Amino acid sequence: MKFLIKILLFVFLPVSLNAQVNPLFIEPTKKQADSLELALKQTTNDTIRMESLRELALYYLDFNSDSSYYFIEKELPIVERLKLKLWEADALDLYGITLNNLGKYIEALKALNRSLEIAEDKESEIGIWRIGKFSSINDPFIARQNMLATIYTDLGGLYSATGNFDKVAIYARKSTITAIPVNNFTVLSLAYRGLAAVNWKNGNTDSALIYFNQSQVYSDKSGYKKYKGSTL
């Protein structure tokens, strides 16, 4: 048990070390992912399993959709059973992204819309387990707003994949409106990147450059550099 606790402390410590990046976007390293898989084999505790499965789904999200799908499908029944609403919204959001990556667009839209429905409900602010996963200052309202802004961004990503750029612009703007009041610079870097891409595609070069620049500014403010190279 002591060994398991050491593993979990090692894995979840980066949430405090990377406080500028919105906690929802902090991805495990390869070493941490290996530790998480080991932890899953050593515990039957639902909350530990839920968080470990979530982190592994996030780790594999961009380069192994099948593995991400495997882990998120195992997390979903746990969050539903535990009735942790904001965690359920997060799990459905990751599920939607994974389905989008797999080209299952209708299923992805259903998952993201369900995620949005949960996060839009103010009741999901009540009793958030490990609230630091959603808000670096442990504020329930900010936690829910961070989740909402993230879902809007991911809905924009889905509509980008299906070529509906009017909807991309709509959800990018929803992201900015939600993220600005809570200083979610991570989401703002992504939302302005989405608006830049839409304007570029529509031939609005001047507007695209303004939005690309804003994306860079918020990428630097948040410390979230994942897409900075491609934006440049």
Side-chain angles (χ1 to χ4, degrees):
M1 184 63 180
K2 288 182 179 178
F3 178 62
L4 178 60
I5 292 172
K6 286 180 181 178
I7 289 176
L8 296 174
L9 286 173
F10 164 69
V11 170
F12 300 128
L13 184 61
V15 170
S16 61
L17 293 179
N18 295 278
Q20 282 186 305
V21 178
N22 185 270
L24 285 165
F25 290 81
I26 298 175
E27 301 175 10
T29 63
K30 174 65 167 66
K31 188 174 182 179
Q32 289 167 339
D34 291 341
S35 296
L36 285 164
E37 295 205 44
L38 180 61
L40 279 175
K41 295 175 182 177
Q42 296 187 351
T43 184
T44 57
N45 181 284
D46 271 349
T47 51
I48 292 175
R49 289 186 61 79
M50 177 188 71
E51 186 161 17
S52 298
L53 289 163
R54 187 265 181 195
E55 293 300 305
L56 285 166
L58 181 62
Y59 172 73
Y60 285 108
L61 193 64
D62 290 331
F63 68 93
N64 190 331
S65 296
D66 288 334
S67 291
S68 186
Y69 183 84
Y70 171 82
F71 288 115
I72 203 67
E73 278 225 310
K74 286 186 172 296
E75 184 199 357
L76 278 166
I78 299 176
V79 294
E80 290 170 2
R81 183 164 65 250
L82 294 176
K83 302 186 186 305
L84 298 173
K85 301 310 292 184
L86 212 58
W87 278 84
E88 185 178 358
D90 174 66
L92 285 164
D93 178 61
L94 286 172
Y95 191 43
I97 301 171
T98 303
L99 289 165
N100 183 20
N101 291 343
L102 290 168
K104 299 180 178 181
Y105 303 125
I106 294 175
E107 295 93 329
L109 182 59
K110 289 179 181 178
L112 289 169
N113 279 337
R114 175 58 183 145
S115 175
L116 183 60
E117 180 183 341
I118 294 170
E120 285 178 332
D121 185 354
K122 190 173 173 58
E123 294 294 310
S124 64
E125 293 179 19
I126 299 172
I128 302 172
W129 183 77
R130 268 184 61 84
I131 191 173
K133 181 62 66 179
F134 303 89
S135 166
S136 59
I137 61 171
N138 297 337
D139 182 294
F141 172 75
I142 292 177
R144 185 171 69 89
Q145 295 303 106
N146 283 339
M147 190 69 249
L148 268 175
T150 301
I151 297 165
Y152 290 141
T153 299
D154 295 329
L155 277 163
L158 172 60
Y159 283 114
S160 177
T162 57
N164 189 336
F165 292 100
D166 288 340
K167 286 287 185 72
V168 175
I170 288 170
Y171 282 107
R173 291 190 184 96
K174 284 178 177 285
S175 295
T176 61
I177 290 168
T178 308
I180 287 172
V182 295
N183 293 322
N184 189 333
F185 299 148
T186 305
V187 163
L188 287 171
S189 72
L190 298 172
Y192 284 123
R193 184 173 182 267
L195 286 170
V198 170
N199 278 274
W200 187 268
K201 182 173 180 61
N202 291 337
N204 303 322
T205 308
D206 290 343
S207 295
L209 289 173
I210 290 171
Y211 286 129
F212 274 131
N213 182 63
Q214 286 180 299
S215 177
Q216 293 296 303
V217 168
Y218 284 109
S219 177
D220 291 338
K221 280 187 175 184
S222 67
Y224 188 67
K225 310 290 187 181
K226 184 173 181 178
Y227 299 107
K228 187 172 182 179
S230 62
T231 301
L232 286 169

